[in-house]
Amino acid sequence: MDKKRYIQSYCRIEGNQVSLNGKVMYKDAAEEVKDFFKGLYKHMEISYRKFFKMDNLSKLAFLASEVLSKDIGEYHRNTAIVLSNKAASLDTDREYQASINNPDEYYPSPAVFVYTLPNIGIGEISIKHQLKSENAFFVFNEYNASFHHNYEELLIKTGKSAAVLAGWTNIDADNYEAFLYLVSEIGEIEHTEQNLNKLYNN
Amino acid sequence: MENLKQELKEKIIKDLNLEDVDVADIANDDPLFGDGLGLDSIDALELIVMLDKDYGIKITDPKEGKSIFESIDTMAAYITENTKK
């Protein structure tokens, strides 16, 4: 008999606030995105030097994955990662473009360039948790619960993955939003399109 | 030379986003890569850009990088030598 899949844990990061499973766990009044991310990093007592080298999109995905990890423990080594957003890596693309706009001051930064792809954040999470699993990054106009649900179900049903870390991680200048959740065979909230929409819109 | 070494430490911390490192944490002869400061290959590229942008020194042979970026001492010596020319 086919086992059910559940949304084991979920979190949101937006508007200087972090919630885990519907409860606010952190907020501050930082005026800049990078300061809010740094404050959250310190609040969670993470020690991972590479964090400070990441672009803001990767930091957002990384922090959301750490919030979930604090709740569920270490990720299963065969946890797939499926993320999506609206603007890919546009936020960092702009920063890189600014470094090469002026022919007289043409110093492209290798450290910025490596983040001019949206899926790099997936790599950062995978490195931190030693995940060598399925992964994908999609671009939609808005969070697409139907697509996510189908893709996540397929990964587990076909045995490709034991669990799926998934959701929406979008950033555009000062506006950022993460809705990240873990789909597994453990939990109370059934993994359905309706429930994903409900949690996202809460 | 000591001023240059201090300046290099400050630039490395700032340009390479080493937010959890203080100038005092970096000894002049500490290895910058591997077991020392733990820089990686992308950091090496950033250091090459830094030499070009801030000191007008272009490294044309990538093999040179290994000895130039061994430590703050070797970087300072290379910059001093090559800005005299």
Side-chain angles (χ1 to χ4, degrees):
Chain A
M1 190 178 152
D2 186 30
K3 286 184 182 174
K4 284 185 177 176
R5 271 111 357 233
Y6 297 92
I7 301 161
Q8 186 178 341
S9 183
Y10 65 97
C11 81
R12 292 193 70 106
I13 303 178
E14 66 179 329
N16 282 29
Q17 184 168 295
V18 182
S19 66
L20 174 63
N21 297 323
K23 293 179 182 168
V24 175
M25 60 160 277
Y26 176 79
K27 58 181 173 181
D28 74 19
E31 289 186 3
E32 293 196 26
V33 175
K34 66 180 176 62
D35 293 332
F36 173 70
F37 288 169
K38 188 176 175 181
L40 177 57
Y41 171 90
K42 290 191 178 298
H43 173 77
M44 291 201 296
E45 299 177 337
I46 302 167
S47 178
Y48 191 64
R49 182 177 286 180
K50 206 169 184 296
F51 172 80
F52 295 109
K53 294 176 178 293
M54 297 178 197
D55 71 338
N56 279 341
L57 179 62
S58 296
K59 282 181 179 173
L60 179 63
F62 178 87
L63 286 168
S65 73
E66 289 300 300
V67 170
L68 288 183
S69 176
K70 294 280 182 195
D71 184 45
I72 60 158
E74 193 49 74
Y75 291 108
H76 187 289
R77 60 185 303 209
N78 193 19
T79 298
I81 306 179
V82 181
L83 301 181
S84 62
N85 77 4
K86 185 178 182 177
S89 58
L90 185 61
D91 195 57
T92 302
D93 297 349
R94 286 195 196 104
E95 183 183 345
Y96 183 72
Q97 182 63 43
S99 75
I100 58 174
N101 267 347
N102 184 348
D104 297 326
E105 289 286 324
Y106 188 86
Y107 297 107
S109 164
V112 175
F113 179 73
V114 294
Y115 287 101
T116 55
L117 284 172
N119 57 341
I120 303 302
I122 292 176
E124 297 290 5
I125 296 168
S126 298
I127 291 167
K128 171 70 163 47
H129 295 282
Q130 295 295 297
L131 305 177
K132 296 170 185 172
S133 47
E134 295 286 325
N135 66 75
F137 197 106
F138 298 95
V139 177
F140 297 112
N141 273 333
E142 57 189 12
Y143 174 65
N144 187 330
S146 172
F147 180 89
H148 265 277
H149 174 257
N150 286 336
Y151 202 94
E152 291 146 19
E153 285 286 302
L154 190 69
L155 281 169
I156 299 180
K157 276 184 174 177
T158 57
K160 290 276 187 191
S161 309
V164 186
L165 176 64
W168 179 257
T169 55
N170 195 57
I171 189 157
D172 187 356
D174 295 332
N175 298 310
Y176 57 90
E177 178 191 22
F179 168 59
L180 208 68
Y181 51 90
L182 186 76
V183 182
S184 74
E185 292 179 341
I186 302 165
E188 294 173 358
I189 306 170
E190 196 174 338
H191 181 238
T192 64
E193 180 184 335
Q194 291 73 22
N195 281 337
L196 286 174
N197 266 324
K198 189 177 161 188
L199 296 179
Y200 176 71
N201 291 309
N202 249 351
Chain B
M1 183 75 103
E2 287 309 309
N3 286 346
L4 175 58
K5 289 177 184 176
Q6 175 76 12
E7 180 181 288
L8 284 172
K9 290 175 188 177
E10 289 168 2
K11 280 182 188 293
I12 285 173
I13 289 170
K14 180 174 177 289
D15 290 3
L16 305 186
N17 291 318
L18 305 177
E19 293 207 16
D20 53 350
V21 177
D22 290 323
V23 166
D25 296 334
I26 310 173
N28 291 338
D29 58 352
D30 274 350
L32 296 180
F33 293 85
D35 292 337
L37 203 52
L39 303 186
D40 60 23
S41 57
I42 300 298
D43 294 322
L45 295 173
E46 283 292 336
L47 291 179
I48 291 172
V49 173
M50 182 203 291
L51 284 195
D52 184 8
K53 187 177 177 180
D54 297 341
Y55 301 99
I57 299 170
K58 288 188 190 296
I59 296 178
T60 50
D61 181 3
K63 289 177 188 167
E64 282 185 293
K66 194 172 179 183
S67 55
I68 297 167
F69 300 128
E70 200 173 301
S71 67
I72 293 294
D73 278 337
T74 58
M75 277 188 79
Y78 185 81
I79 291 168
T80 304
E81 173 72 16
N82 285 274
T83 47
K84 280 179 184 171
K85 289 177 183 175

